[in-house]
Amino acid sequence: MTMTLSPAATPGNIPRRTLAVAAAACVLWSPSRLHAARAMPSLDGAVGWLNSSPLTAQALRGKVVLVDFWTYSCINWQRTLPHVRAWADRYQDRGLVVIGVHTPEFSFEKDVDRVRQAAAQFRIDYPIAVDSRRAVWDAFGNRYWPALYFVDARGRIRHHHFGEGDFERSEKVIQQLLMEAGAKDVPMDPVRVTGTGSQAPADWAHLRTPETYVGRDRAANFASAGGMVLGRTARYAAPDRLRPDTWALAGDWTVGREAALLDGAHGRIVHSFHARDVHLVMGPAAPGKPVPFRVRLDGQPPGPAHGADIDAQGRGVLAEHRLYQLVRQPGPIHDRVFEVEFEKPGIEAYAFTFG
């Protein structure tokens, strides 16, 4: 599978799910495919560090380094994390240093305290470079979440992987670079990883609906009559029937470039989808003011198809900015209509992702 990228692409216009489809590709690993490449770029542009004092490329010479670009609301990265965390634990005593570079996709992810909370939630104890100005991102010329860069003990990037999947090959690369660096007793079998919750592997066989952005800049397949109105309150209505993979707003909303803000009570978002899982990146506009919400599938409570962030009746509470898992269907998977209704105004919705 080949993925191309426009030279003008930026973090703001790369659909994360474009990368996720690479997980279905099969790659035969061979040591001969590793190659000498450019030197590891500088990490100096980070605005801060978590779990470590600042690290430099020069100081890391002699170590094998895995650089993992992430942003905490990204489902593709969340499903990759169990593997990265397992590699960090398994190989740290043999010379591997894992560095997470947190480069935000959405504005709320620039907040260092939120990044710190996410690191604790996801049990990340390896060093994290907080790249809120995208300086490290630009130094690497990166365009993807997640993105893994494998650096040998001489400070050269020898391999990279963009998106989910290909985990066994990535671990083989780590093993080979450690052996090249003189590490002894490097385990050669793959780690056994089982992700749970949002970190569980996607159901690729049934995943047909693409990621859906709610903000005006990247919105597509919007079905409310009259289209979107940018930057001011407008009243939207959802059609009686939605075509597959389309979505609509209902109620009083202000659509911004990055997100939609609910201005009145009982606003809804409706989405026709075909996937096992439904996630929504969202949060309360005012800190400390949780907003109750309720999810329905085909007009009914989700029951056993509820996600981790709601109960069987579809009830949940929006308390912070993050990715919420709202649906995980036990099967069978078919076309369905998802609906979330918010009881109070003051919520910001950013993007749907599916799994």
Side-chain angles (χ1 to χ4, degrees), residues 258-342:
E258 191 175 70
L261 171 66
L262 178 60
D263 295 317
H266 302 291
R268 295 183 297 129
I269 311 177
V270 185
H271 201 311
S272 175
F273 74 100
H274 189 113
R276 182 194 66 193
D277 303 339
V278 178
H279 313 98
L280 180 55
V281 178
M282 56 183 177
K289 293 187 176 181
V291 178
F293 64 88
R294 188 161 187 173
V295 166
R296 295 178 177 85
L297 284 177
D298 300 328
Q300 301 298 320
H306 72 89
D309 290 304
I310 62 173
D311 64 18
Q313 294 302 310
R315 292 184 294 256
V317 177
L318 191 64
E320 59 188 342
H321 282 75
R322 61 177 175 87
L323 178 143
Y324 289 76
Q325 185 190 83
L326 303 178
V327 173
R328 170 153 290 172
Q329 300 186 73
I333 308 303
H334 53 85
D335 290 348
R336 305 197 71 172
V337 175
F338 165 92
E339 176 184 329
V340 57
E341 181 176 5
F342 303 94

Side-chain angles (χ1 to χ4, degrees), residues 36-185:
R38 62 190 175 113
M40 175 180 168
S42 172
L43 302 171
D44 292 345
V47 301
W49 286 79
L50 304 178
N51 302 332
S52 171
S53 57
L55 299 175
T56 66
Q58 184 62 37
L60 290 165
R61 291 291 178 90
K63 298 285 188 180
V64 173
V65 179
L66 173 60
V67 178
D68 173 27
F69 281 89
W70 64 293
T71 188
Y72 74 80
S73 72
C74 175
I75 188 60
N76 306 119
W77 169 78
Q78 290 187 23
R79 294 193 292 241
T80 298
L81 175 61
H83 296 269
V84 175
R85 195 168 48 214
W87 298 335
D89 291 342
R90 190 184 207 194
Y91 298 107
Q92 61 180 342
D93 293 338
R94 293 172 174 86
L96 176 68
V97 176
V98 175
I99 299 173
V101 178
H102 185 273
T103 308
E105 177 174 17
F106 299 116
S107 297
F108 66 83
E109 293 172 303
K110 295 179 181 179
D111 186 289
V112 175
D113 287 337
R114 287 173 171 164
V115 179
R116 184 179 291 108
Q117 291 168 7
Q121 173 193 346
F122 291 113
R123 297 186 290 111
I124 301 173
D125 56 11
Y126 49 77
I128 298 171
V130 182
D131 187 33
S132 297
R133 297 174 184 165
R134 295 179 176 168
V136 181
W137 174 284
D138 289 340
F140 274 75
N142 186 53
R143 294 295 180 268
Y144 305 98
W145 298 280
L148 300 175
Y149 292 86
F150 301 79
V151 182
D152 67 16
R154 296 174 62 184
R156 302 171 300 173
I157 296 175
R158 296 281 298 282
H159 182 69
H160 60 254
H161 181 76
F162 302 140
E164 299 179 56
D166 210 8
F167 298 118
E168 187 168 345
R169 169 170 166 77
S170 292
E171 188 170 4
K172 288 290 185 183
V173 171
I174 292 170
Q175 293 165 351
Q176 180 175 338
L177 295 182
L178 289 172
M179 289 188 295
E180 287 183 8
K184 306 298 183 184
D185 301 321

Side-chain angles (χ1 to χ4, degrees), residues 1-3 18-19 21-26:
M1 181 178 296
T2 301
M3 294 182 293
T18 299
L19 316 177
V21 296
C26 296

